[in-house]
């Protein structure tokens, strides 16, 4: 089939490779415009643009998908279908319906659960044991179109959003290729979503990444893993923000060995370069594996403690 591929971040790369490897013709790749990055704030192309240009595909990077000239350009591509994978901007009905067979979207959740911008982060933050990937037919409403294919995967006990994202991107690419093959054969079955059961996964930001130590150790651990690599779960220690990574819930059998367990959520219970950084939660405690101070690189908590990064009795808030 002749396809238009819409995507921006690294998550979309396996899907772009998969549709090309399946023999589909890429009429154009649409991605977000170059964005300033790094200390020099020089414009940097998206990962999808970089791959598309390496492959020799026609690349479109509109500032607005509502620009009339851009809309006409898309309509003139003569595509059979559009494939949208983490493009990062809403598409109008005109664009969704421009290809003869409509538009498909790869969404990393088991719809109708976790509609929205950050389903991978919130699946972990909310303590889900499983998640998955859905291929749906796009409609104007957000992530509300009929389901064409769906597959479920378990979430590992220590899995971070970054690791899960890579797994789901590969899984989504495989499922997309299979869905397109069934579309060519006329074998697609569409299943309407149960809209009453829909839940939502809003964009994560610095506010949603701040740690509430009054929650259980498991829920704090889930939040830290959910915000890794970006934006990074954080707390404040002695007036300075501190990002925390690689959490491990301290077993109940070892809680009694720690001073003042549970007396104050966020209290540092252990700050030994050998034993690591241990912090009390509302229920239980966590050992933090890595930390990052403002303007510095991410390092092992033990190395940070060697520089007297924290002391027993300090409180993270």
């Amino acid at each position: 089939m002749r396809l238009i591929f819409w995507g921006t971040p690294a998550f979309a790369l396996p899907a772009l490779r998969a549709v090309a490897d399946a023999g589909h013709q890429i009429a154009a790749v649409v991605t977000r415009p170059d964005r300033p990055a790094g200390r020099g704030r020089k414009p940097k192309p998206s990962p999808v643009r970089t791959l598309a240009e390496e492959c020799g595909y026609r690349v479109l990077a509109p500032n607005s998908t509502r620009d009339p000239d851009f809309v006409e350009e898309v309509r003139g591509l003569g595509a059979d279908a559009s494939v949208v994978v983490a493009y990062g901007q809403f598409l109008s009905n005109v664009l969704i319906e421009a290809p003869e067979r409509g538009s498909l979207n790869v969404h990393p959740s088991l719809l109708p659960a976790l509609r929205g911008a950050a389903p991978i982060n919130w699946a972990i933050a909310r303590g889900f044991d499983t998640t998955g990937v859905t291929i749906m037919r796009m409609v104007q409403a957000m992530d509300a179109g009929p389901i064409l294919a769906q597959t479920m995967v378990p979430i590992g006990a220590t899995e971070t959003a970054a690791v899960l994202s890579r797994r789901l991107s590969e899984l989504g690419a495989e499922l997309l290729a299979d869905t397109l093959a069934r579309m060519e054969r006329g074998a697609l079955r569409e299943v309407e979503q149960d809209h009453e059961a829909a839940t939502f996964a809003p964009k994560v930001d610095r506010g949603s990444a701040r740690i509430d130590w009054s929650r259980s150790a498991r829920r704090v651990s889930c939040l830290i893993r959910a915000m890794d690599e970006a934006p990074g779960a954080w707390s404040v220690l002695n007036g300075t923000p501190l990002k925390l990574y690689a959490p491990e819930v301290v077993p109940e059998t070892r809680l009694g060995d720690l001073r003042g367990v549970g007396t104050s959520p966020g209290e540092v219970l252990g700050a030994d370069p050998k034993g690591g950084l241990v912090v009390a939660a509302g229920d239980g405690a966590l050992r933090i594996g890595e930390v990052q101070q403002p303007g510095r690189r991410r390092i092992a908590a033990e190395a940070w403690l060697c520089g007297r990064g924290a002391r027993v009795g300090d409180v993270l808030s």
Side-chain angles (χ1 to χ4, degrees), residues 36-291:
R39 292 187 178 181
R41 307 304 292 165
K42 293 183 179 180
K44 182 179 180 180
S46 72
V48 165
R49 179 171 197 150
T50 299
L51 177 60
E53 290 180 344
E54 289 174 357
C55 295
Y57 300 139
R58 179 179 180 180
V59 176
L60 306 176
N63 289 316
S64 172
T65 57
R66 297 186 180 276
D67 180 88
D69 291 337
F70 170 71
V71 173
E72 285 306 308
E73 190 170 12
V74 170
R75 296 176 72 176
L77 290 172
D80 296 308
S82 275
V83 171
V84 182
V85 187
Y87 172 60
Q89 189 172 342
F90 286 111
L91 304 187
S92 67
N93 269 332
V94 172
L95 291 172
I96 289 172
E97 298 173 1
E100 182 179 351
R101 299 192 185 190
S103 299
L104 280 61
N105 176 253
V106 179
H107 186 78
S109 82
L110 297 175
L111 292 172
L114 301 175
R115 294 177 181 176
I120 297 173
N121 305 84
W122 290 113
I124 296 175
R126 294 173 185 170
F128 287 17
D129 295 321
T130 60
T131 187
V133 175
T134 301
I135 311 296
M136 68 174 178
R137 184 175 294 284
M138 292 183 69
V139 297
Q140 188 65 55
M142 181 180 68
D143 300 329
I147 293 171
L148 306 177
Q150 198 168 62
T151 188
M152 181 177 69
V153 296
I155 297 175
T158 61
E159 197 162 23
T160 66
V163 173
L164 181 57
S165 179
R166 289 190 285 271
R167 274 212 297 145
L168 293 181
S169 69
E170 295 289 350
L171 182 64
E174 295 174 9
L175 194 61
L176 173 63
D178 177 72
T179 303
L180 290 171
R182 288 188 291 114
M183 174 180 276
E184 284 190 293
R185 298 194 303 268
L188 280 182
R189 176 173 173 264
E190 300 189 7
V191 178
E192 191 70 18
Q193 293 188 40
D194 179 358
H195 301 294
E196 295 296 322
T199 58
F200 297 90
K203 183 178 179 179
V204 296
D205 56 19
R206 183 171 169 78
S208 55
R210 185 162 189 174
I211 298 169
D212 177 359
W213 293 100
S214 69
R215 293 192 169 192
S216 70
R218 180 179 181 276
R219 290 306 298 268
V220 174
S221 173
C222 288
L223 180 71
I224 294 173
R225 292 186 294 109
M227 302 299 159
D228 183 341
E229 299 165 334
W234 63 284
S235 196
V236 175
L237 176 65
N238 298 325
T240 301
L242 182 69
K243 290 185 178 181
L244 308 176
Y245 303 94
E248 176 189 350
V249 176
V250 177
E252 290 186 13
T253 54
R254 299 180 61 184
L255 288 177
D257 298 332
L258 299 170
R259 191 198 73 158
V261 174
T263 56
S264 178
E267 181 181 352
V268 175
L269 306 177
D272 186 334
K274 293 184 178 180
L277 175 64
V278 181
V279 184
D283 176 13
L286 286 168
R287 178 170 284 104
I288 304 300
E290 298 177 353
V291 302

